[in-house]
Amino acid sequence: MTNKIYALVGPHASGKTMLIGQLMQMGIHYIPTYTTREPGKIDSDPRFFRFIGKSEFFKSEFIVHITYKGDYYGVLKKDVLNALQEHKISLMMLEANGIKQLSKLLRDNLETIFLMVDYVKLVERMLRLGHKNDAIKYHLEYAENNNEFDNWKNTTYVVRNTQDSGTALNQILAILGLTQIVPPEKFKELIQ
C-alpha cells in the first residue's frame, strides 16, 4: 500500500480544523501549515499552524507555498517527505493553488477532500467562532470572488459538511480506508 496524504480543502468555516482535530485525536498524523499571519483568537491553534516571521518564511524550504488574504502559507518539504516515509496516512489543510502545486509532485500519494458547505451553515459557524458581521461578509465575498465554492471540481472527493460533524467524520474515515466490514451475523444485528 502506498502511503497517502489527504488534504482537506474548503472555504473559511467549512470545518477543516474541527475535522482534522477529531482525526488527530484518533492518532492520525497531521502535517502543519506555516504562516506569516499574526495569531489571533480564531484559527490560531498551534496544532494546525506554525506562526513565523516573513524573513524566516522566505528562508524555509517549502514544497508548496501560497499567498492567502495577504499572508503567506507553506508546507515544509521535509514534513511532507517525513510523512510519506513514516506514516501510512497523513492529513493536511490545503488551498486551491496548493492543490495544483502538490498534485504535480505527489501524483500517487495525494488525495484531496473538499468540504462542501452552504452559506447558511458558514454564517452560523462564523457567528459561533465570534466573527462580526463585517468579517463574515469579507470571508463570504472572498470565497465567492476567488471561486472557493468551486474548488470541489479540482478535488478527488467531496464531503458535504452541513449536518452534524459525525456524518462528515464518518465519510472521511471511509475515504481514508479506516472503516471495516463486519461479519454477516453482526451486520444483521446492525440493521434489524
Side-chain angles (χ1 to χ4, degrees):
M1 179 176 137
T2 303
N3 291 355
K4 295 268 189 186
I5 295 173
Y6 292 87
L8 268 60
V9 181
H12 180 71
S14 61
K16 296 181 297 290
T17 54
M18 182 202 54
L19 288 163
I20 286 176
Q22 291 174 337
L23 292 162
M24 287 170 63
Q25 286 179 334
M26 295 177 185
I28 300 173
H29 177 256
Y30 175 71
I31 302 167
T33 299
Y34 288 78
T35 180
T36 60
R37 178 174 56 88
E38 288 291 321
K41 290 192 301 188
I42 299 168
D43 287 342
S44 61
D45 191 325
R47 293 178 302 158
F48 307 111
F49 297 101
R50 305 290 191 271
F51 300 95
I52 60 176
K54 284 185 181 179
S55 62
E56 186 180 349
F57 186 90
F58 290 111
K59 291 177 187 173
S60 302
E61 189 175 1
F62 293 107
I63 193 167
V64 59
H65 53 85
I66 59 163
T67 304
Y68 185 72
K69 296 181 183 174
D71 294 303
Y72 297 98
Y73 292 79
V75 178
L76 286 175
K77 181 179 177 178
K78 71 177 179 72
D79 289 347
V80 171
L81 294 175
N82 288 341
L84 290 172
Q85 291 171 354
E86 299 175 15
H87 302 278
K88 290 185 189 300
I89 297 172
S90 294
L91 301 166
M92 68 186 311
M93 281 186 250
L94 207 52
E95 193 264 347
N97 289 327
I99 293 172
K100 292 174 187 172
Q101 292 174 38
L102 271 185
S103 294
K104 294 175 185 175
L105 298 170
L106 306 175
R107 292 180 221 268
D108 298 328
N109 302 94
L110 179 69
E111 303 283 344
T112 51
I113 304 168
F114 181 77
L115 298 177
M116 187 172 281
V117 184
D118 58 45
Y119 276 87
V120 173
K121 192 56 88 172
L122 286 175
V123 170
E124 286 174 8
R125 289 179 184 163
M126 284 189 248
L127 286 169
R128 270 196 314 255
L129 288 169
H131 287 301
K132 303 290 183 218
N133 287 342
D134 288 346
I136 292 171
K137 180 181 176 190
Y138 172 81
H139 285 294
L140 292 174
E141 286 177 355
Y142 185 92
E144 191 68 45
N145 292 337
N146 290 283
N147 299 314
E148 287 188 343
F149 297 113
D150 293 332
N151 285 340
W152 64 271
K153 296 173 185 176
N154 302 317
T155 59
T156 316
Y157 303 97
V158 175
V159 170
R160 187 172 165 218
N161 191 20
T162 56
Q163 305 295 320
D164 64 286
S165 65
T167 302
L169 181 65
N170 287 334
Q171 291 175 1
I172 291 171
L173 286 169
I175 291 167
L176 301 179
L178 298 175
T179 57
Q180 59 183 353
I181 298 173
V182 296
E185 59 276 1
K186 182 72 174 169
F187 183 75
K188 286 180 184 177
E189 287 177 30
L190 292 172
I191 62 170
Q192 292 181 356

